[in-house]
Amino acid sequence: MRIALAVEYDGSGFRGWQKQPAGGTVQDALQEALQQFAGMAVRVICAGRTDAGVHALGQVVHFDTPLDRPMHSWVRGINTFLPSAVAVRWAQPVADDFHARASAYGRHYRYLLLNRAHRTGLWPGRVGWCHYPLDLAAMQAGGQLLLGERDFSAFRAAECQANSPIKLMRQANITRLGELLVFDFEASAFLHHMVRNLVGSLVYVGQGKHPPAWIGELLTAGDRRLAAPTFAAAGLYLAAVSYPSQFGLPLAEESLLLPVGPGS
């Protein structure tokens, strides 16, 4: 039997998603909890590997098991053995050809940026921070230049292992909720550090260092050295993953919960 899980986690205390020999990753924690509940070793495959300090609202994983248990039992049982910073939201049986990564046609990342003069004392590790006033309209205009099928080489980390820098960006919205700026990016897939690099460059536009058209110039140039530095991991969330309806998974939008934060 193949089972899909939706997992949320606070990545602040983890070394990223992917399993490491020294442990301390989200995958390590999830597989250890699964082994304790199932009584056997279980390997999970995720929709998108997140870096150290990055969070998830709707990470999706799959695993294979010979055990036949009610889905609610998988959720409650795994959660019993997980650390408090990780929780399974739902479990669902899927067809054998379902693959958490390869079957996905879209991923939605959300970045929360606290925009005020002083840093947060209540949400450390959960939001990014910029103490300069930011021009929301300019940032929104720059974000719209990202839409469509684009070469995102200018926003790609040097260590990125993706086969191609060309991705289809379907959404690049920025909204303000009080002191919080919410960046929402939805695309076919993302390059390593792509969202954090996009946020950094859009913040430059918001500060007035460059006009909105600069974002288009970066796309055309395709040179990472010309874009802004990589922004902090703290405010980044893998918000949702989208799959074809044939797999019968909950709609991705159901994972788009806004974490508790300033202005919420």
Side-chain angles (χ1 to χ4, degrees), residues 4-7 58-61 71 75 89-94 98 105-106 239-256:
L5 306 175
V7 186
Q59 173 74 274
V60 176
V61 308
M71 291 300 110
V75 174
R89 297 186 57 187
W90 52 253
Q92 187 159 318
V94 288
F98 173 83
Y105 67 81
V241 185
S242 300
Y243 295 95
S245 59
Q246 69 195 57
F247 294 114
L249 296 181
L251 294 176
E253 289 75 10
E254 295 180 10
S255 294
L256 295 181

Side-chain angles (χ1 to χ4, degrees), residues 72-120:
H72 66 82
S73 178
W74 283 103
V75 174
R76 294 178 182 176
I78 299 169
N79 282 340
T80 298
F81 298 105
L82 280 171
S84 60
V86 187
V88 173
R89 297 186 57 187
W90 52 253
Q92 187 159 318
V94 288
D96 290 343
D97 63 345
F98 173 83
H99 191 282
R101 182 175 63 256
S103 298
Y105 67 81
R107 293 159 180 82
H108 185 146
Y109 278 89
R110 173 166 287 173
Y111 195 96
L112 304 182
L113 178 64
L114 181 63
N115 185 207
R116 70 184 188 193
H118 52 284
R119 65 172 176 80
T120 181

Side-chain angles (χ1 to χ4, degrees), residues 216-247:
E217 295 170 4
L218 291 174
L219 288 168
T220 300
D223 189 340
R224 176 70 190 96
R225 296 169 297 178
L226 301 178
T230 303
F231 218 72
L236 182 58
Y237 297 76
L238 173 55
V241 185
S242 300
Y243 295 95
S245 59
Q246 69 195 57
F247 294 114

Side-chain angles (χ1 to χ4, degrees), residues 27-46:
Q27 184 179 10
D28 287 316
L30 181 58
Q31 290 186 169
E32 289 167 9
L34 269 164
Q35 181 168 350
Q36 288 181 278
F37 176 66
M40 63 184 68
V42 178
R43 177 175 176 264
V44 301
I45 296 176
C46 73

Side-chain angles (χ1 to χ4, degrees), residues 120-182:
T120 181
L122 295 178
W123 302 280
R126 301 290 301 279
V127 295
W129 175 48
C130 179
H131 64 277
Y132 295 105
L134 295 175
D135 183 337
L136 177 60
M139 298 168 72
Q140 290 171 330
Q144 293 308 294
L145 299 178
L146 300 169
L147 297 177
E149 190 171 67
R150 306 287 189 183
D151 183 333
F152 287 96
S153 293
F155 306 100
R156 179 181 190 173
E159 61 271 26
C160 180
Q161 298 178 359
N163 293 328
S164 171
I166 299 175
K167 306 298 176 187
L168 175 61
M169 182 73 76
R170 302 186 181 98
Q171 180 185 29
N173 294 339
I174 310 167
T175 55
R176 181 180 287 277
L177 295 175
E179 297 175 327
L180 196 68
L181 291 177
V182 182

